Amino acid sequence: MSDQPHTARIVLLPGDGIGPEVTQAAVQALDAVARRCGRQFHFEERLMGGCAIDRHGTPITDETLQACLAADAVLLGAVGGPQWDDPLAPVRPEGGLLRLRKALGVFANLRPVRLHPSLLDASPLRPERLEGVDLLVVRELTGGLYFGEPKTHEVRDGRRYAVDTMAYFDYEVRRVVELAFRLALGRRKKLASVDKANVLESSRLWRQVALETARDFPQVALEHVLVDTAAMRLVTRPSAFDVIVTENTFGDILTDEAAVLCGSMGLLPSASLGDGGPGLYEPVHGSAPDIAGQGIANPLGAILSAALLLRYSLRLEEEAWLVEQAVWGALASGARTRDLGGTLSTHEMTRAVLERL
Ligand code: IPM
Ligand code: MG
């Protein structure tokens, strides 16, 4: 793709809360790098999440799904907010995101956590624990507890009853574990497969498949870590982790924990990938309704997600690197939004990045 003129088509789903503010910043970064490197990106913006419920009665319309499937990549802000949180509501913003992930077949969610040295003081952990933190969580994204059947909420024998199911087929485990092994090969060659095999059948299958897959990757050191131990180790010895691969819900929980290691959730990007097809890129932070509309959200998680989009969906490694360097440079110069103890607005922080592109 990089040697041919090609207008990459990117669907934007700014979503709710601070989603539109940070997505706009990411688009500015993409525009800047496109100008600098002579690329062309075509953006198509659509509603997804609570805003789509308000407009269409559904968090994602079929047309929006089709547009995403036909794109080269999808860039998402965030979804959700208190006005759509009623537990009795028939539709929820998050349902749109889950439907999109499933439709795109993006079974692997990559969440890299790298600590910028100048942010040591922003982290809740002591600096000596943070030295060398550079980990990548690969979260299974289209199966497990989020999608397993049965999934119901009903009245049984006069009692309210609800059930979710953690279920996996071997191939669902294999494809995500295999990708994690391949990513580990390009890094420090360590893979921690996180499960709850002392209790859960689905985890015992997960562990078997991880062991089988390991035969194809003799250069990578595989260890199995129980999820409770992994949660503890993330705060006691985070630098010992290289790549972590885990079930959907475990990954959801562990990545929020891992995110605060580097000072703020607002910094963390993610890439969701499948077998070919468009990737889905979104910051790990949520819609943050408490600060929405104030222009103070940290745009770096979204901008770094745009960098991942350049790398994985458009195969524009140099452009991805330029964006990451610009973010790193802005942080090194002391630019900080409020979540990092600074005073910069979203706009000013974005400008600090754009100046370096
Ligand atoms: C995330 C979010 C989502 C998830 C929500 C918004 C459905 O928490 O991407 O981590 O649970 O996957
Ligand atoms: Mg989450």
Side-chain angles (χ1 to χ4, degrees):
M1 211 172 277
S2 40
D3 21 333
Q4 283 166 15
H6 166 83
T7 303
R9 283 166 314 150
I10 301 169
V11 170
L12 301 174
L13 305 172
D16 309 316
I18 60 170
E21 301 163 48
V22 299
T23 305
Q24 198 196 357
V27 169
Q28 287 178 300
L30 287 170
D31 275 335
V33 83
R35 266 197 307 279
R36 167 147 172 198
C37 303
R39 305 286 171 196
Q40 282 194 317
F41 304 140
H42 175 264
F43 298 105
E44 177 183 345
E45 188 171 321
R46 293 189 161 256
L47 296 177
M48 212 270 280
C51 55
I53 293 181
D54 291 348
R55 173 73 80 81
H56 302 295
T58 171
I60 188 162
T61 62
D62 292 340
E63 294 80 62
T64 298
L65 260 188
Q66 289 312 320
C68 291
L69 282 164
D72 290 306
V74 180
L75 184 63
L76 181 110
V79 296
Q83 62 269 55
W84 304 287
D85 253 357
D86 178 357
L88 297 176
V91 286
R92 311 177 61 84
E94 293 80 3
L97 181 54
L98 298 185
R99 196 171 158 216
L100 178 63
R101 288 172 176 170
K102 196 73 171 173
L104 292 175
V106 286
F107 57 79
N109 179 223
L110 280 50
R111 298 185 164 187
V113 178
R114 239 191 326 156
L115 191 83
H116 191 275
S118 74
L119 288 179
L120 279 177
D121 54 337
S123 173
L125 290 200
R126 288 204 298 271
E128 63 269 25
R129 297 229 161 142
L130 291 164
E131 187 97 21
V133 168
D134 177 6
L135 59 94
L136 170 66
V137 181
V138 181
R139 168 189 174 194
E140 201 291 322
L141 201 62
T142 52
L145 197 53
Y146 275 52
F147 291 96
E149 297 284 347
K151 191 184 224 7
T152 64
H153 191 152
E154 62 194 66
V155 176
R156 264 196 202 179
D157 307 326
R159 300 234 168 229
R160 286 172 299 161
Y161 173 79
V163 57
D164 294 287
T165 303
M166 193 185 283
Y168 274 106
F169 278 102
D170 52 2
Y171 74 89
E172 294 176 290
V173 180
R174 187 166 300 115
R175 63 190 180 185
V176 71
V177 169
E178 219 169 68
L179 177 64
F181 267 111
R182 274 194 267 126
L183 290 164
L185 269 183
R187 297 174 44 105
R188 302 198 305 280
K189 302 188 174 54
K190 292 202 300 184
L191 178 63
S193 172
V194 170
D195 63 35
K196 188 71 186 173
N198 52 347
V199 177
L200 303 176
E201 282 303 339
S202 56
S203 281
R204 288 192 271 272
L205 173 65
W206 184 285
R207 199 173 272 216
Q208 272 174 14
V209 174
L211 276 169
E212 290 159 17
T213 313
R215 289 185 210 130
D216 297 331
F217 298 90
Q219 313 91 317
V220 176
L222 169 70
E223 67 166 339
H224 307 281
V225 186
L226 294 173
V227 63
D228 44 355
T229 308
M232 189 254 305
R233 258 203 237 164
L234 269 176
V235 288
T236 53
R237 283 194 293 133
S239 59
F241 284 117
D242 180 13
V243 180
I244 294 174
V245 63
T246 193
E247 190 270 340
N248 203 342
T249 309
F250 297 161
D252 178 47
I253 298 167
L254 292 180
T255 49
D256 270 27
E257 188 191 358
V260 295
L261 294 178
C262 43
S264 165
M265 280 200 69
L267 285 169
L268 248 78
S270 87
S272 304
L273 309 174
D275 271 330
L280 172 64
Y281 300 84
E282 47 180 314
V284 171
H285 64 69
S287 57
D290 51 323
I291 59 161
Q294 297 179 34
I296 58 170
N298 186 342
L300 298 186
I303 294 175
L304 290 169
S305 299
L308 296 180
L309 184 158
L310 292 165
R311 171 168 300 129
Y312 292 117
S313 278
L314 307 187
R315 306 265 166 221
L316 297 175
E317 175 58 36
E318 189 192 335
E319 286 81 346
W321 186 84
L322 284 170
V323 172
E324 286 167 350
Q325 287 306 109
V327 166
W328 242 225
L331 285 172
S333 78
R336 302 275 185 279
T337 39
R338 293 191 198 192
D339 53 315
L340 292 169
T343 57
L344 294 192
S345 66
T346 308
H347 186 69
E348 290 162 336
M349 189 69 184
T350 306
R351 225 172 31 212
V353 176
L354 297 180
E355 275 165 14
R356 292 171 169 80
L357 278 171

